[in-house]
Amino acid sequence: MIRCGIILHPAGHTLSPVLHAEAYAALDLDARYEVFDIQAADLEPSLQRLRSKGLRQLSVSLPHKETVLALATKVSDQAKQIGAANTLTFIDDEIVADNTDWIGVLRTLEPLGPWAGKNATILGAGGAARAVAYALTRLSLNVTIVNRTPERAAEVAHDLGVQVGELRSNCDLLINATSVGMQPDIHDVPCDVAILQPSCVVFDSVYRPLETALLRNAREHGCRVQDGLDMLVHQAVEQVRIWSGRTPEAKRLRRAAEDAL
Ligand code: NAP
């Protein structure tokens, strides 16, 4: 049996075990996915311990996505540029770090395009915003970052070759990559949608709740909306592909996640 899991803190209610169990069932893989609550200060010894216990594949969530890069012996170009990893694979003596969050964004947005040359605004400047910015530059959008702490926005802009600015009416794609609107603060919104044209697509990376206050406001304003669950599903699909060489059906994983939510 292949042993996999997720490292995070606090453990909370992650959907990753549901997504991976569904993927392994769909592909008839003999694998078990476990949750490991690991505090930031314990990351290095914990990785060694998990490896010696036979773990081979790990998803990485908050607060480890950035710090784990320093412990990896190989880092993919994408993870390097984004500055964060959400996927670790132990291969012989190597610890290989990769990032599939950006693929989650790409796969979510591709069907809603075409996007080349259009204007995107990202709210937020954390790990999620970095993965979003990377995906949007791959889709050739003009990307502007807006963040509560301007210094962090400037860092993302510098590292990922995008610009800092503000939300304007010429925005074609608005992405919330902050945690604003997440349970339990479900009435909070990261911005006022009144400035947007109804042709703007609004994508919220938050998926608890599935329809955030931002998405509800945007829908009522006439905008097309996209929830954060497809991003989560597609990053998991890509992890399974990296680890097993096989691709589970995203729709099946989404149904399982919706049932769990
Ligand atoms: P993070 O590194 O902690 O960044 C949080 C971001 O939210 C920062 O830009 C922060 O601004 C901003 N923020 C937090 N509270 C705010 C407030 N009250 N007002 C304005 N801005 C606020 O977290 P992350 O890893 O980037 O994750 C952010 C969110 O993305 C998560 O909460 C999650 O919902 C979502 N996410 C979704 C997926 C998915 O697959 N759908 C994957 C990863 C993350 P400052 O810089 O000013 O602190």
Side-chain angles (χ1 to χ4, degrees), residues 124-128 147-149 152 177-180 182 205-206 228 231-232:
N147 192 48
R148 176 177 63 179
T149 309
R152 285 188 89 193
T178 74
S179 44
V180 178
M182 222 168 90
S205 73
V206 171
M231 173 180 170
L232 187 78

